[in-house]
């Protein structure tokens, strides 16, 4: 192995170290605040008893709602945001469904 090969390998590793975070970000799904709201009447919403007002649901965990669900991806204080189980749709922060999971 020549010194040129070691230099090339070093450059490759440096390039990977620089580009890896950007590749990871590019692989993440888009999380736009402009996603259309999930309709509670949609088939996939009904399958998990999604409702836009959590206070009207029979919740096994008191005060659980989308905003404090581990699957919610909306910003703090936003009225709605993406949910991991409904790609391409937003759910109301005040909503709830039977797939609610605690935040870790
Ligand atoms: Fe809301 Fe969580 Fe159900 Fe998504 S999984 S709709 S964030 S309660």
């Amino acid at each position: 192995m020549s010194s040129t090969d070691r230099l090339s390998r070093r450059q490759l590793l440096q390039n990977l170290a620089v580009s890896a975070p950007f590749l990871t970000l590019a692989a993440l799904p888009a999380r736009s605040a402009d996603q259309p709201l999930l309709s509670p009447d949609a088939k996939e919403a009904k399958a998990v008893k999604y409702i836009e007002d959590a206070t009207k649901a029979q919740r096994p965990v008191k005060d659980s709602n989308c905003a404090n669900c581990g699957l919610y991806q909306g910003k703090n204080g936003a009225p709605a945001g993406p949910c991991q189980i409904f790609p391409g749709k937003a759910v109301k922060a005040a909503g709830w469904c039977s797939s609610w999971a605690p935040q870790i």
Side-chain angles (χ1 to χ4, degrees), residues 50 65-66 69 71-72 83 85-86 91 95-101:
Y50 172 73
N65 59 37
C66 292
C69 174
L71 301 172
Y72 184 68
C83 166
I85 67 169
F86 299 115
V91 296
W96 181 88
C97 86
S98 60
S99 293
W100 183 91

Side-chain angles (χ1 to χ4, degrees):
M1 183 181 309
S2 71
S3 63
T4 308
D5 289 337
R6 271 185 263 158
L7 184 59
S8 294
R9 190 177 304 169
R10 179 179 298 157
Q11 285 176 330
L12 175 65
L13 292 173
Q14 286 174 339
N15 288 344
L16 282 174
V18 169
S19 62
F22 296 108
L23 292 174
T24 303
L25 287 175
L28 291 173
R31 295 192 301 161
S32 167
D34 299 330
Q35 291 175 330
L37 273 178
L38 174 70
S39 168
D41 296 327
K43 184 179 172 184
E44 64 270 30
K46 286 186 172 185
V48 291
K49 301 175 184 165
Y50 172 73
I51 187 168
E52 291 184 330
D53 183 354
T55 63
K56 294 180 178 167
Q58 290 187 332
R59 300 170 287 177
V61 178
K62 186 176 184 262
D63 297 332
S64 58
N65 59 37
C66 292
N68 60 27
C69 174
L71 301 172
Y72 184 68
Q73 299 178 312
K75 293 180 179 172
N76 276 345
C83 166
Q84 292 182 41
I85 67 169
F86 299 115
K89 298 284 184 176
V91 296
K92 296 240 179 172
W96 181 88
C97 86
S98 60
S99 293
W100 183 91
Q103 294 175 337
I104 298 174

